Amino acid sequence: QVQLVESGGGLVQAGGSLRLSCTASGHAFTDYTMGWFRQAPGKERDFVAAIWRTVPSSNYADSVKGRFTISRDNAKNTVYLQMNSLKPEDTAVYYCAARYGFDIGPKTPYNYWGQGTQVTVSS
């Protein structure tokens, strides 16, 4: 059973930065594509970013390109989401997800999900 635990959310002013972490257990980490998603109140859950084994194999939603960076430390079984230049519209619960194999597409279904961490950006 794959388990994902997110951390790093919080309250930040617009223009600020946060780094989210997601630590995985229960599977061969490097065999999994890792993704970040977010869900704002009253909205559907949206794709944010995904990464295969290394940074060059990554993908981003247009809304976060140039501001967010996904990375992973395979030795620590951890994936990160560095969020810079945050905007109020980035406010959401952010979820980490995992799926077996390589597929960093935004519509890719994921098998495993974390519990989510709240990010609130004040204006």
Side-chain angles (χ1 to χ4, degrees), residues 11-33:
L11 173 64
V12 64
Q13 289 189 333
S17 299
L18 280 175
R19 188 177 81 156
L20 305 182
S21 300
C22 171
T23 300
S25 62
H27 66 297
F29 187 65
T30 54
D31 288 341
Y32 283 72
T33 294

Side-chain angles (χ1 to χ4, degrees), residues 2 4-6 22 24 27 29 32-37 45 47 49-51 70 72 79 94-100 108-115:
V2 176
L4 304 172
V5 178
E6 302 104 331
C22 171
H27 66 297
F29 187 65
Y32 283 72
T33 294
M34 301 300 295
W36 286 99
F37 292 76
R45 186 160 55 189
F47 170 80
I51 187 169
I70 190 171
R72 61 193 291 169
V79 61
Y94 283 71
Y95 296 91
C96 173
R99 61 154 286 128
Y100 184 78
T108 300
Y110 282 73
N111 307 104
Y112 305 100
W113 295 85
Q115 81 287 353

Side-chain angles (χ1 to χ4, degrees), residues 79-91:
V79 61
Y80 304 98
L81 186 69
Q82 178 66 43
M83 305 185 294
N84 298 329
S85 302
L86 282 161
K87 305 175 182 179
E89 51 264 43
D90 295 318
T91 296

